[in-house]
Amino acid sequence: MLFIALGFSLFGFYAASVYEKKVEILDSVVMMLSVMQTQLSYSCIPLASLLARLEENRKINGLGFVSACKKETENGEPFPESWRKCIENEKELCRLIPEALPYLFQIGEDLGSTDLEGQLSCCKYYEGIFRRELAEKEAQSGKYSKLFPTLGVTLGITAVILII
């Protein structure tokens, strides 16, 4: 009975942590776009160097597709295809924020295909989209981080009472 109650409780905490992980990923994406924008506007670096700088940034190291994309482009694969493929290969990212994937794919299509001003406006545009998504997920996380653990404990206690 203790294991049943513990199982429900742990599931509640797990469900709350899923929302926290969504917030972390979206925060990293916003940070990535901000770094891209800064590097493009002040350094005017090519995409290969931009990916290297993103890979070095510790605040966005949770986005594993950046490193994978860098390796793919170094091996001669075109940037848009490698960007898309590396995002698709990151299963946790695809599972946690499926509604944001089309925007992430489009970033890969837009970067490097226009002039500097076009790339900067692309970064600003997608940063705005991901900031709105981040604000929405933060609100959900704040709400559900309190609800799910309590609900899990309550369901666990209820299950034990029903079994007894």
Side-chain angles (χ1 to χ4, degrees):
M1 286 189 267
L2 179 65
F3 287 123
I4 292 172
L6 186 62
F8 277 110
S9 299
L10 290 177
F11 182 75
F13 285 101
Y14 168 75
S17 73
V18 167
Y19 281 93
E20 291 171 6
K21 185 67 175 169
K22 288 180 182 186
V23 169
E24 283 178 32
I25 289 173
L26 287 169
D27 190 42
S28 294
V29 170
V30 168
M31 179 63 71
M32 176 190 71
L33 288 166
S34 177
V35 169
M36 283 179 164
Q37 194 173 342
T38 302
Q39 292 298 320
L40 286 171
S41 63
Y42 294 110
S43 301
C44 299
I45 57 177
L47 283 175
S49 300
L50 179 62
L51 288 173
R53 295 245 175 110
L54 289 173
E55 185 180 38
E56 293 168 0
N57 193 320
R58 283 184 255 166
K59 292 183 180 178
I60 60 169
N61 61 3
L63 300 176
F65 69 89
V66 173
S67 298
C69 183
K70 178 182 170 260
K71 289 175 187 162
E72 296 262 337
T73 55
E74 286 174 349
N75 292 334
E77 182 140 354
F79 176 73
E81 287 88 22
S82 65
W83 180 265
R84 176 180 279 277
K85 186 169 82 171
C86 292
I87 290 172
E88 288 172 345
N89 289 340
E90 187 123 352
K91 299 301 179 197
E92 183 181 35
L93 178 79
C94 294
R95 181 179 53 84
L96 289 174
I97 56 168
E99 64 280 349
L101 288 179
Y103 298 116
L104 275 176
F105 294 147
Q106 195 59 45
I107 290 169
E109 297 291 327
D110 294 344
L111 280 179
S113 63
T114 62
D115 64 343
L116 181 62
E117 289 303 316
Q119 291 181 63
L120 289 173
S121 65
C122 166
C123 289
K124 286 179 188 174
Y125 172 73
Y126 289 114
E127 185 179 2
I129 289 173
F130 282 104
R131 282 193 188 278
R132 285 190 296 275
E133 189 74 27
L134 176 62
E136 179 183 316
K137 296 298 181 202
E138 282 176 335
Q140 287 178 351
S141 177
K143 180 171 61 172
Y144 294 137
S145 68
K146 296 174 186 167
L147 174 68
F148 284 145
T150 306
L151 186 61
V153 170
T154 305
L155 284 173
I157 292 170
T158 303
V160 168
I161 290 172
L162 289 175
I163 290 173
I164 294 177

